[in-house]
Amino acid sequence: MIPRYTHPEMGRLWSDQHRYETWLRVETAAAEAMAAAGIIPAEAARDIRERGAFDIARIEEIEQVTQHDVIAFTTAVAEHVGPSARWLHFGMTSSDVIDTAQALQMREACDLVLADLAGLSDAIRDRALEHRRTPMIGRTHGVHAEPMTFGLKLALWYAEIGRDIDRVRRAREVVSVGKLSGAVGTFAHLPPSVEGDVCRRLGLAPAPVASQVIQRDRHAELLSALAITAASLEKFALEIRGLQKTEIGEVEEPFAKGQKGSSAMPHKRNPIGCEQIVGLARLLRGNAHAGMENIALWHERDISHSSVERIILPDSFIALDHMLRRFTRIVTGMVVYPARMRENLDRSRGVVFSGSVLLELAAKGVSREQAYEWVQRNAMRSFAEQRDFKGLLLADPDVAKVLDPAAIERAFDLGEQFRHVDQIFDRVFQDAPVRV
């Protein structure tokens, strides 16, 4: 089943119809290359191009007898081509067709994923610029750390998506190779020049060397790139889920009019989209592991990888396409609550500025150990007595003899905390102007 947010084109790329269309593209390109080399008659290549066709039901009918998909395919196509079909698949083995065609499918699918990533990147950039100076508390170990801005959190996402784009582009290049080197890679029946011509016609690079198959470290690299991209989305979605907790309430994924959150509790607005993304990321990691297992085959080839790839390649691309498109909608419609962010920032009564106070004291000549002791004891009192941290510092004689009120006030200034935010944004969004 193709998920609801998947682009119809991604599902089409992995359909039986498109798979056989791509096989026919390879067979046709091979016939034309062989005709150009004088290996087969030119009229045979013409007949294969003009008459080559198939019917899926007929292929499946033949396969019931042959128990071999490529033989079933070539037999079905031959019924349309006629006498010239004796030159169809000439000098080739099944993997010459399957692996070269699969490279075309993977390349097309990568292009769709890259388009999805570009759309998500734009959506994140827009929200990051919108919230460049929206203050919130940063958390480490799930505990209040120091102030930051929501825009910085999103800028980090944007930079990571950029690396995902680079990984998918590199993997696209790695898998964009074809081969027509025969049953054990020796070119026993066709010269390497024919392979080069076929790959040129298809826009692929010829594999420098192959066994019967294109080596599966290439496919494993692609599946790893897809899985890492999915893990990035999982990370972002998990953050939204965390910030949507009732006790935090800083961000919500969009909740449509008429949407229901629970069959039993009408008040529920659950982050189901983000939860789905987290779950699907696990699937892509599992598929990447299966891709690693496909690298090791017996001698020049067995088919233990084949049945696996029929599942993990389409499933990984279709799932990631769905995840990217859905998360783009989530980012675009994400509800942000700046007032709640500020409320949570203030909830710890100012102790999150303890690091700045520590540095102010050290700059005035107090040893770090002594300064740490003074600041920590006031922070602990703030926690225990639920008192304002700044007030405790102002009343502490040790601190007050070193820092005047203006210095203490400066340590609590969000403007000072965020003074380098614009510089960070300039580094991250080099092609996007920072809006004031």
Side-chain angles (χ1 to χ4, degrees):
M1 179 179 175
I2 298 173
R4 180 160 53 106
Y5 291 100
T6 300
H7 194 290
E9 182 66 9
M10 184 62 84
R12 188 192 71 80
L13 286 182
W14 297 103
S15 66
D16 287 343
Q17 178 69 29
H18 188 66
R19 176 161 57 98
Y20 292 134
E21 287 171 352
T22 311
W23 286 9
L24 187 55
R25 279 183 65 191
V26 174
E27 293 282 8
T28 301
E32 291 178 336
M34 284 186 268
I39 297 172
I40 72 171
E43 57 269 23
R46 184 197 62 226
D47 289 344
I48 290 169
R49 169 167 289 282
E50 293 180 356
R51 300 178 187 173
F54 61 85
D55 177 80
I56 292 177
R58 178 58 179 150
I59 294 173
E60 292 174 348
E61 179 184 8
I62 298 169
E63 190 175 357
Q64 289 296 316
V65 178
T66 64
Q67 298 295 300
H68 194 291
D69 54 356
V70 175
I71 292 175
F73 168 77
T74 55
T75 301
V77 172
E79 293 175 349
H80 291 270
V81 172
S84 291
R86 68 192 181 95
W87 301 108
L88 178 70
H89 201 69
F90 187 80
M92 298 166 65
T93 192
S94 297
S95 292
D96 290 336
V97 179
I98 293 172
D99 281 11
T100 305
Q102 189 165 260
L104 295 173
Q105 286 180 281
M106 291 187 291
R107 186 178 65 184
E108 290 177 289
C110 282
D111 288 340
L112 289 181
V113 165
L114 288 167
D116 291 339
L117 281 164
L120 175 57
S121 180
D122 288 345
I124 293 173
R125 180 196 61 207
D126 290 347
R127 300 309 301 268
L129 295 174
E130 176 188 352
H131 291 286
R132 176 172 58 98
R133 287 195 169 269
T134 300
M136 69 179 299
I137 187 63
R139 297 171 173 90
T140 58
H141 303 275
V143 177
H144 283 201
E146 291 187 348
M148 62 180 296
T149 76
F150 187 53
L152 278 175
K153 190 182 293 286
L154 297 176
L156 185 141
W157 296 5
Y158 178 89
E160 186 161 340
I161 287 295
R163 294 191 296 275
D164 290 325
I165 289 172
D166 289 341
R167 273 186 282 267
V168 174
R169 282 176 177 161
R170 288 195 298 267
R172 178 191 185 276
E173 182 176 354
V174 166
V175 299
S176 293
V177 296
K179 60 89 63 182
L180 264 79
S181 54
V184 292
T186 59
F187 293 99
H189 306 296
L190 292 173
S193 58
V194 170
E195 178 188 80
D197 190 5
V198 170
C199 288
R200 180 187 58 77
R201 293 169 187 268
L202 298 173
L204 301 172
V209 61
S211 58
Q212 189 178 118
V213 296
I214 292 172
Q215 300 307 286
R216 260 44 190 181
D217 62 289
R218 297 177 181 271
H219 303 65
E221 182 173 343
L222 172 61
L223 288 160
S224 297
L226 300 182
I228 292 171
T229 302
S232 294
L233 299 182
E234 177 185 22
K235 167 181 162 181
F236 310 154
L238 190 65
E239 182 69 13
I240 292 174
R241 288 174 59 194
L243 297 178
Q244 189 166 333
K245 289 179 180 178
T246 304
E247 295 81 1
I248 296 177
E250 295 176 355
V251 174
E252 283 185 341
E253 72 171 54
F255 192 82
K257 183 178 180 180
Q259 184 175 341
K260 304 293 189 291
S262 167
S263 63
M265 297 169 283
H267 72 279
K268 294 298 291 291
R269 293 200 303 245
N270 302 324
I272 58 170
C274 289
E275 289 172 343
Q276 183 184 83
I277 286 166
V278 168
L280 288 173
R282 299 168 187 167
L283 174 69
L284 268 77
R285 280 196 292 278
N287 288 352
H289 177 78
M292 300 285 183
E293 297 288 334
N294 279 349
I295 295 174
L297 305 176
W298 279 22
H299 306 300
E300 277 56 64
R301 177 233 183 180
D302 60 51
I303 62 166
S304 59
H305 66 289
S306 176
S307 56
V308 182
E309 285 178 356
R310 290 171 191 246
I311 298 171
I312 63 176
L313 285 174
D315 278 11
S316 291
F317 274 109
I318 290 170
L320 184 58
D321 179 57
H322 168 77
M323 293 167 71
L324 286 165
R325 292 167 65 81
R326 182 150 202 191
F327 194 66
T328 300
R329 293 175 182 232
I330 289 171
V331 169
T332 301
M334 179 173 58
V335 183
V336 181
Y337 297 102
R340 180 66 171 178
M341 289 179 173
R342 187 56 192 256
E343 179 187 344
N344 287 337
L345 173 59
D346 295 337
R347 188 178 296 278
S348 52
R349 302 177 185 85
V351 296
V352 296
F353 296 95
S354 68
S356 296
V357 179
L358 174 67
L359 294 180
E360 289 283 350
L361 288 168
K364 293 294 185 180
V366 180
S367 73
R368 183 176 180 84
E369 293 74 17
Q370 185 63 76
Y372 197 103
E373 180 185 335
W374 292 350
V375 174
Q376 187 182 45
R377 77 187 180 204
N378 283 286
M380 295 306 105
R381 281 190 68 192
S382 176
F383 284 129
E385 300 172 17
Q386 299 187 3
R387 294 176 61 183
D388 179 64
F389 181 55
K390 187 195 298 183
L392 290 170
L393 291 170
L394 290 168
D396 186 302
D398 290 327
V399 175
K401 71 183 180 185
V402 178
L403 298 180
D404 60 25
I408 294 176
E409 195 67 40
R410 184 169 59 249
F412 286 76
D413 183 1
L414 282 177
E416 282 292 305
Q417 296 280 329
F418 301 155
R419 66 189 183 277
H420 298 303
V421 166
D422 286 351
Q423 185 177 350
I424 298 170
F425 267 60
D426 287 342
R427 292 196 307 187
V428 174
F429 302 101
Q430 295 179 15
D431 300 323
V434 177
R435 302 170 194 158
V436 178

